[in-house]
Amino acid sequence: MESEQRERRRRKEKKMMSLPLQDDDEENDIDEAKMLLIGENGIDNESLSPAHLRDGAPELQEYNIRSIESTVVIRQLTSQGLSFQLWPAASTFVTLLDNYRRDPSSSPLTATLSSLTKSSPLNILELGSGTGAVGIAAAVTLSANVTVTDLPHVLDNLNFNAEANAEVVARFGGEVHVEPLRWGEADDVEVLGRNVDLILASDVVYHDHLYEPLLETLRLMMAAMQLEGKKLIFLMAHLRRWKKESVFFKKARKLFHVEVIHSDVVQQGSRIGVVVYRFATKQPNQNGRLVSC
């Protein structure tokens, strides 16, 4: 019975992930959670060992981080909303971090990470952390000091996951801190925007009313980092779902140099895959125009 239920769920997820990109007037007819389902976007599924429990109960996702021969365990609370679930872009990011530690010479993250001012440890801020999977994986694989952030109501689960993985994070020289951060709020950024080397996020561009608050947070972070003589570097893993998302990228390119550093291989039955973007501060040239740094 349990295997049959898993197979039905797998077929349902595959069907939903193979849907074409939606026009704005179509998207309201589709449950957005179904468009964020995990597992059909070039993810290394062998590194995931899902432990599905009964509907409405916590679900534990185990990431086998091969580079450290250890496991990161993430609790999902799917009944509580999107912020309490794992999505494809997060899993892609975890795999990239794992592969970077195993072999930096072949990683799309190497150019970015090697360009950062060497601090010990690297200070990373994650936006819209949700379950914290990416931030926790970054702390482990990069031996980094990571601050995972989200809205206040998400923090209990974030704290749970940070504490559940505290031993493995500490064993590899990392730290994970949990803090609230409301996008677009200058006070929140003022508290957290100091001493940051790198910003991460995954699957954060899907609600159009959040485009401007996210961009404002990046603007505020950019200003805070410039005061410390640093340039903002933002790595964002993203799975495109709506055509209107181009609006976000159009606005972002006015402020940042935006480039693709990784694209998942699109799996059979899917039309799209996870893409990882690198956003970097533009610098004014002699004529006062912004140019890529």
Side-chain angles (χ1 to χ4, degrees):
M1 178 66 71
E2 184 177 347
S3 62
E4 292 177 358
Q5 291 175 341
R6 284 199 300 267
E7 179 61 20
R8 284 197 298 271
R9 177 173 179 164
R10 187 193 68 79
R11 290 198 299 266
K12 183 178 180 181
E13 291 177 357
K14 185 171 183 179
K15 179 180 179 181
M16 292 309 303
M17 288 310 304
S18 64
L19 288 173
L21 294 172
Q22 301 300 309
D23 291 313
D24 291 351
D25 57 355
E26 294 175 339
E27 66 186 60
N28 291 330
D29 295 330
I30 296 175
D31 181 353
E32 63 185 357
K34 292 178 181 177
M35 293 299 294
L36 293 167
L37 290 169
I38 195 169
E40 295 292 332
N41 293 278
I43 298 167
D44 179 8
N45 288 312
E46 290 182 359
S47 68
L48 301 175
S49 302
H52 296 298
L53 306 181
R54 65 186 183 277
D55 290 344
E59 297 179 7
L60 300 180
Q61 196 87 6
E62 294 183 357
Y63 288 87
N64 295 320
I65 310 297
R66 298 171 183 174
S67 61
I68 62 171
E69 297 183 346
S70 193
T71 300
V72 167
V73 180
I74 299 297
R75 183 179 73 174
Q76 303 183 78
L77 302 172
T78 56
S79 64
Q80 295 193 28
L82 300 181
S83 298
F84 299 86
Q85 303 175 51
L86 285 164
W87 305 114
S91 295
T92 287
F93 219 145
V94 171
T95 299
L96 288 177
L97 289 163
D98 187 15
N99 290 342
Y100 170 80
R101 186 178 178 101
R102 293 172 68 192
D103 183 12
S105 66
S106 62
S107 172
L109 303 179
T110 298
T112 295
L113 294 173
S114 62
S115 71
L116 298 173
T117 301
K118 297 298 182 183
S119 61
S120 183
L122 192 68
N123 294 304
I124 296 175
L125 179 72
E126 185 187 12
L127 303 178
S129 300
T131 62
V134 172
I136 292 168
V140 170
T141 57
L142 303 177
S143 301
N145 181 7
V146 179
T147 300
V148 293
T149 68
D150 214 307
L151 294 172
H153 74 280
V154 183
L155 299 189
D156 282 349
N157 196 50
L158 260 180
N159 273 305
F160 178 94
N161 287 330
E163 291 171 6
N165 294 284
E167 187 277 330
V168 68
V169 169
R171 188 172 3 127
F172 292 95
E175 293 183 19
V176 176
H177 310 277
V178 178
E179 297 289 347
L181 195 157
R182 299 162 297 169
W183 293 352
E185 295 293 332
D187 291 344
D188 289 9
V189 174
E190 184 178 0
V191 172
L192 299 175
R194 303 181 187 128
N195 196 28
V196 173
D197 301 307
L198 177 66
I199 304 172
L200 306 178
S202 62
D203 260 330
V204 292
V205 178
Y206 53 91
H207 281 317
D208 56 352
H209 69 274
L210 294 177
Y211 294 173
E212 194 55 44
L214 175 56
L215 288 169
E216 179 61 16
T217 295
L218 293 173
R219 289 188 197 101
L220 293 167
M221 287 296 308
M222 179 170 60
M225 294 177 73
Q226 286 175 335
L227 292 176
E228 298 182 347
K230 298 179 180 179
K231 298 182 179 67
L232 179 144
I233 302 292
F234 173 46
L235 298 181
M236 185 184 79
H238 176 65
L239 178 63
R240 187 183 178 198
R241 299 177 180 89
W242 315 118
K243 291 181 178 179
K244 66 184 178 184
E245 291 167 13
S246 61
V247 173
F248 171 83
F249 288 96
K250 182 177 180 180
K251 291 182 176 181
R253 286 187 172 93
K254 293 180 180 180
L255 292 171
F256 308 104
H257 172 61
V258 182
E259 63 178 322
V260 173
I261 64 170
H262 169 79
S263 297
D264 274 348
V265 176
V266 179
Q267 298 298 295
Q268 185 175 4
S270 297
R271 290 190 163 198
I272 52 178
V274 173
V275 176
V276 179
Y277 296 88
R278 180 183 186 270
F279 296 64
T281 302
K282 287 184 175 182
Q283 298 296 317
N285 62 13
Q286 294 180 346
N287 297 321
R289 298 182 62 184
L290 293 176
V291 297
S292 301
C293 61

